[in-house]
């Protein structure tokens, strides 16, 4: 009987699973509207009092998106005031909705990759998984790796779609 040869293992392909860089934790929203007079008007004295009396511990260890869902004119200093309270307790806080915060955290995680360790390697970016990875991660990993790798493929080592191959 012929020996079974694992050609995938011999191919020299390295697989990157983008789920390994998936942001941890859910995103909660801090909506400025909830702290405005009639949900529309920022009264400085009242707003400052509301910020002082708010239990900021509810945001401890969380990723927080800062938004205003009302069609209100909010002075820029008000966002700064909220952030001074969120920054010490939240894992991460920024202006933006949950999707924006998730994408930002994903980009931060991918930025930590030591791309030099992939120099002249043949890379497969895993295509299927349990989590919705999203376009931002696939685009970013390609941007990061393209200058250093020999090739980039998408999918699984046994069935890949060629994306990039270094010339020469």
């Amino acid at each position: 009987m012929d020996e079974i040869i694992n050609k995938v293992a011999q191919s020299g392909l390295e697989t990157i699973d983008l789920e390994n860089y998936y942001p941890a934790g859910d995103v909660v929203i801090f909506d400025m509207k909830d702290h405005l007079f009639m949900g529309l008007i920022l009264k400085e004295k009242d707003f400052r009092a509301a910020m002082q009396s708010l239990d900021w511990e509810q945001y401890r260890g969380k990723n927080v998106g800062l938004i205003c869902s009302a069609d209100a004119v909010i002075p820029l200093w008000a966002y700064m005031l909220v952030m001074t309270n969120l920054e010490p307790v939240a894992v991460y806080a920024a202006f933006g909705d949950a999707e924006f915060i998730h994408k930002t955290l994903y980009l931060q995680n991918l930025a930590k990759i030591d791309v030099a360790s992939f120099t002249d390697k043949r890379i497969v970016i895993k295509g299927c998984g349990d989590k919705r990875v999203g376009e931002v991660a696939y685009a970013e990993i390609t941007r990061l790796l393209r200058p250093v790798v020999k090739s980039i493929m998408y999918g699984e080592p046994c069935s890949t779609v060629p994306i990039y191959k270094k010339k020469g």
Side-chain angles (χ1 to χ4, degrees), residues 18 99 103 107 110 132-142:
L18 292 176
E99 182 180 357
K103 287 177 180 179
L107 292 172
L110 291 173
R132 167 108 170 72
V133 170
E135 301 85 354
V136 70
Y138 286 101
E140 182 65 4
I141 196 67
T142 304

Side-chain angles (χ1 to χ4, degrees), residues 57-164:
E57 284 299 313
Q58 66 185 308
Y59 299 103
R60 181 158 304 280
K62 299 194 168 126
N63 300 310
V64 183
L66 173 57
I67 67 164
C68 184
S69 63
D71 189 18
V73 177
I74 307 292
L76 298 176
W77 62 261
Y79 293 105
M80 296 168 69
L81 185 64
V82 171
M83 195 56 66
T84 62
N85 291 287
L86 285 173
E87 191 278 326
V89 295
V91 171
Y92 180 78
F95 181 82
D97 62 12
E99 182 180 357
F100 175 82
I101 301 301
H102 177 79
K103 287 177 180 179
T104 300
L105 292 170
Y106 222 138
L107 292 172
Q108 288 178 359
N109 290 347
L110 291 173
K112 296 174 187 170
I113 294 174
D114 177 15
V115 293
S117 68
F118 296 104
T119 300
D120 293 328
K121 294 190 177 175
R122 300 172 66 215
I123 305 298
V124 176
I125 307 300
K126 188 174 178 192
C128 297
D130 297 327
K131 299 176 182 170
R132 167 108 170 72
V133 170
E135 301 85 354
V136 70
Y138 286 101
E140 182 65 4
I141 196 67
T142 304
R143 184 189 73 77
L144 291 170
L145 294 177
R146 190 208 162 276
V148 299
V149 300
K150 188 178 283 185
S151 65
I152 300 173
M153 292 160 272
Y154 168 85
E156 301 296 324
C158 59
S159 175
T160 60
V161 176
I163 304 297
Y164 165 76

